[in-house]
Amino acid sequence: MALIVQKYGGTSVANPERIRNVARRVARYKAMGHQVVVVVSAMSGETNRLISLAKEIMPDPDPRELDVMVSTGEQVTIGMTALALMELGIKAKSYTGTQVKILTDDAFSKARILDIDQHNLKKDLDDGYVCVVAGFQGVDANGNITTLGRGGSDTTGVALAAALKADECQIYTDVDGVYTTDPRVVPEARRLDKITFEEMLELASQGSKVLQIRSVEFAGKYKVKLRVLSSFEEEGDGTLITFEENEENMEDPIISGIAFNRDEAKITVAGVPDKPGIAYQILGPVADANIDVDMIIQNVGADGTTDFTFTVHKNEMNKALTILRDKVQGHIQAREVTGDDKIAKVSVVGVGMRSHVGIASQMFRTLAEEGINIQMISTSEIKIAVVIEEKYMELAVRVLHKAFGLENA
Ligand code: ASP
Ligand code: MG
């Protein structure tokens, strides 16, 4: 007997028939003698619908009230899933984040899980129930409803698997695994049987939307065995996220995947004095406003001044620009502060980079041959990311996918 956490995304619970289908799969696992915890998202489109409803009343909705609203999407699907299980004669009980007590901090709309009370769930599992838990939501120390950021149900699933020491966390979605890149952009993209945890972390952080980045971080921290599968197919092993890096095989591809992201915007603070403390004076107030910064570039100084460029989420560009113009620009005597949200980030990821040289030059040559200008570059041991003009993004992904031979490995 194993304890399995199964998370179902929005398309997998998009209507009553699909929810019945979820219940049938859960029933099969129960019949094999396993204990099952089910985590569900809201029906597809529902979270967006709720967000736009809020915006109709208040253009920039109060975050506490927004979380109260958007958390209802998952509350509907847990009830429906529990009902569907009962209709199959299976004991089932639904739980909101508050009812489990998924304790989070109070950063509404991007809260972090601090602790999960597993007492009630364990007891119900031992009594033969399937526990159906609402993804994406938690409760802060003062009893406020919080949500974990878009795609946060993945994190709920993995966090529950960690807390309950589950044998496996299965993420059911509308694709049958992790692909070399998004098949909607490159039809030749291939499913990977397995991928290392580190690669998955890079892909998720670089914009692959298969798994929410926090869920991957959680899986790494607690060594949760994670598998991505399709909820629309009966068979198939999906993609396993492994912690072992196998002995390197000569035939292994050097690059595992290409991620892209059009959610970022670039901010440049031009003509800042080239002296100690400037980076801190620019990014300190941005961090204080709870704005996440991704890539950061500072040029070599010339004539005592330099340019400082970084990226933030598009939604936060205006907020960051206001802060910089109001509080920072005059203070540090910067020449100007500009923003550009017509950018995209494209990243190639692969553990094979550790043992192969020339990946960066191959990437840059491929982009150059298409006349695509690179605005920013950042690298890690297993990733090279570039910022380019947004309109070239799909082209860049396609030519890189081909250049690195990803379609036929
Ligand atoms: N329903 C939430 C969203 O659409 C959470 C999730 O589906 O993971 O982002
Ligand atoms: Mg998702």
Side-chain angles (χ1 to χ4, degrees):
M1 184 193 77
L3 170 53
I4 295 168
V5 175
Q6 298 187 334
K7 180 263 170 177
Y8 292 91
T11 48
S12 310
V13 294
N15 56 48
E17 189 41 44
R18 289 191 184 167
I19 290 178
R20 277 193 206 101
N21 200 36
V22 165
R24 285 191 282 267
R25 178 178 291 98
V26 174
R28 287 200 293 279
Y29 276 82
K30 276 297 277 179
M32 291 183 244
H34 301 311
Q35 293 186 330
V36 189
V37 174
V38 179
V39 175
V40 286
S41 292
M43 291 174 161
S44 63
E46 180 63 6
T47 308
N48 287 341
R49 189 184 72 88
L50 294 165
I51 292 173
S52 19
L53 273 181
K55 286 187 172 163
E56 275 185 42
I57 305 272
M58 191 189 284
D60 190 10
D62 176 83
R64 180 186 185 277
E65 305 314 324
L66 184 63
D67 278 3
V68 167
M69 288 179 67
V70 295
S71 64
T72 60
E74 275 74 10
Q75 188 166 334
V76 171
T77 47
I78 53 172
M80 290 178 78
T81 307
L83 291 177
L85 285 162
M86 288 175 187
E87 284 287 290
L88 297 177
I90 290 171
K91 293 201 318 186
K93 204 189 263 188
S94 68
Y95 280 90
T96 64
T98 308
Q99 287 172 319
V100 174
K101 200 151 183 215
I102 298 180
L103 183 71
T104 71
D105 61 19
D106 61 2
F108 296 111
S109 86
K110 51 178 172 186
R112 281 183 182 271
I113 297 177
L114 303 174
D115 187 47
I116 293 183
D117 185 348
Q118 23 157 325
H119 185 81
N120 294 329
L121 297 181
K122 273 267 189 238
K123 185 168 179 310
D124 281 343
L125 289 171
D126 289 341
D127 289 344
Y129 283 92
V130 170
C131 298
V132 185
V133 180
F136 179 55
Q137 55 177 265
V139 61
D140 76 4
N142 295 316
N144 297 305
I145 295 173
T146 56
T147 65
L148 310 179
R150 299 308 304 270
S153 300
D154 293 340
T155 299
T156 306
V158 177
L160 277 169
L164 296 164
K165 302 198 169 50
D167 296 281
E168 185 164 305
C169 180
Q170 303 175 339
I171 308 277
Y172 287 92
T173 175
D174 49 4
V175 292
D176 61 351
V178 179
Y179 275 67
T180 49
T181 194
D182 188 333
R184 282 167 299 191
V185 172
V186 183
E188 295 81 19
R190 275 180 319 107
R191 182 179 62 80
L192 300 158
D193 290 329
K194 56 184 181 192
I195 184 167
T196 70
F197 156 74
E198 280 181 288
E199 288 170 322
M200 195 62 234
L201 193 62
E202 284 286 8
L203 286 176
S205 69
Q206 298 308 314
S208 155
K209 299 236 158 63
V210 184
L211 288 172
Q212 197 205 30
I213 169 99
R214 283 189 186 170
S215 72
V216 186
E217 286 168 358
F218 237 101
K221 192 157 163 201
Y222 296 99
K223 295 279 179 292
V224 175
K225 191 173 163 202
L226 199 60
R227 194 184 285 280
V228 177
L229 306 127
S230 164
S231 65
F232 300 113
E233 287 168 20
E234 301 298 317
E235 307 279 315
D237 293 330
T239 300
L240 179 67
I241 291 129
T242 63
F243 290 96
E244 312 97 55
E245 250 167 65
N246 294 336
E247 288 280 295
E248 235 204 279
N249 191 326
M250 287 202 22
E251 279 141 48
D252 279 351
I254 301 164
I255 300 302
S256 300
I258 301 178
F260 52 83
N261 182 348
R262 353 174 189 227
D263 296 339
E264 289 186 23
K266 182 178 80 169
I267 291 181
T268 300
V269 186
V272 300
D274 191 12
K275 65 176 193 204
I278 290 296
Y280 172 65
Q281 287 185 61
I282 293 172
L283 293 182
V286 174
D288 291 343
N290 226 338
I291 298 173
D292 288 328
V293 169
D294 179 30
M295 277 197 204
I296 303 174
I297 285 184
Q298 187 190 303
N299 258 327
V300 183
D303 309 326
T305 68
T306 183
D307 293 346
F308 192 92
T309 304
F310 59 96
T311 61
V312 298
H313 195 280
K314 261 182 194 164
N315 293 343
E316 299 191 305
M317 181 179 86
N318 286 332
K319 190 169 154 198
L321 285 174
T322 306
I323 292 170
L324 290 168
R325 287 178 182 146
D326 291 357
K327 299 196 187 144
V328 179
Q329 186 174 1
H331 201 65
I332 62 171
Q333 291 173 326
R335 192 174 66 246
E336 65 173 347
V337 180
T338 53
D340 177 2
D341 62 1
K342 300 271 179 298
I343 60 158
K345 187 170 70 168
V346 175
S347 319
V348 301
V349 172
V351 288
M353 266 184 225
R354 287 206 180 106
S355 46
H356 290 80
V357 293
I359 305 302
S361 69
Q362 189 177 349
M363 179 178 189
F364 302 156
R365 186 180 65 229
T366 306
L367 296 174
E369 279 165 4
E370 298 296 331
I372 300 173
N373 185 38
I374 301 172
Q375 303 179 9
M376 297 170 83
I377 301 170
S378 102
T379 64
S380 78
E381 231 192 332
I382 63 164
K383 168 208 77 189
I384 305 162
V386 296
V387 165
I388 59 175
E389 206 180 326
E390 187 177 17
K391 68 178 183 206
Y392 294 121
M393 191 198 79
E394 298 202 354
L395 173 65
V397 174
R398 277 199 301 274
V399 293
L400 290 169
H401 197 268
K402 194 162 182 65
F404 287 107
L406 287 176
E407 66 264 77
N408 42 25

